[in-house]
Amino acid sequence: AEAYLRARLCEVFGLLWEEGLGTYLWHRDRLCLEVDLAAPEPHLSGRLRTGDGAEDEWYIVFLLRRLTALRPDIACRVVDAD
């Protein structure tokens, strides 16, 4: 499962990069994408600390919507801590 998920991580990163991820100026921290093998069902996971940068949160939602439009075999879920 790990090798498969790492390959998918590279694909996802490439798609997001093409959508502008590489040129976006983050308010606090950049998006961190990683493989989560500790969960009951292994998956790709991402996290972001925004501080006062609500634009970063909306940009991530935009990227995830683009990702799911480009790859119908991908599903995304967004969880906000506040």
Side-chain angles (χ1 to χ4, degrees):
E2 183 175 359
Y4 174 80
L5 286 173
R6 292 206 184 280
R8 297 301 73 79
L9 179 61
C10 290
E11 287 178 23
V12 166
F13 186 77
L15 289 171
L16 295 179
W17 191 268
E18 291 173 3
E19 292 298 318
L21 182 65
T23 58
Y24 184 75
L25 184 59
W26 299 97
H27 177 74
R28 181 173 177 176
D29 294 336
R30 68 181 187 268
L31 174 65
C32 178
L33 296 172
E34 59 195 3
V35 174
D36 185 352
L37 297 172
E41 188 171 319
H43 60 277
L44 299 179
S45 177
R47 67 180 187 282
L48 174 72
R49 294 185 319 161
T50 60
D52 293 330
E55 307 86 32
D56 290 355
E57 293 179 57
W58 287 112
Y59 184 62
I60 293 299
V61 171
F62 162 77
L63 287 176
L64 294 176
R65 288 179 53 95
R66 289 290 301 142
L67 179 63
T68 57
L70 293 168
R71 293 284 308 265
D73 60 323
I74 293 178
C76 296
R77 182 177 80 154
V78 177
V79 178
D80 193 346
D82 59 353

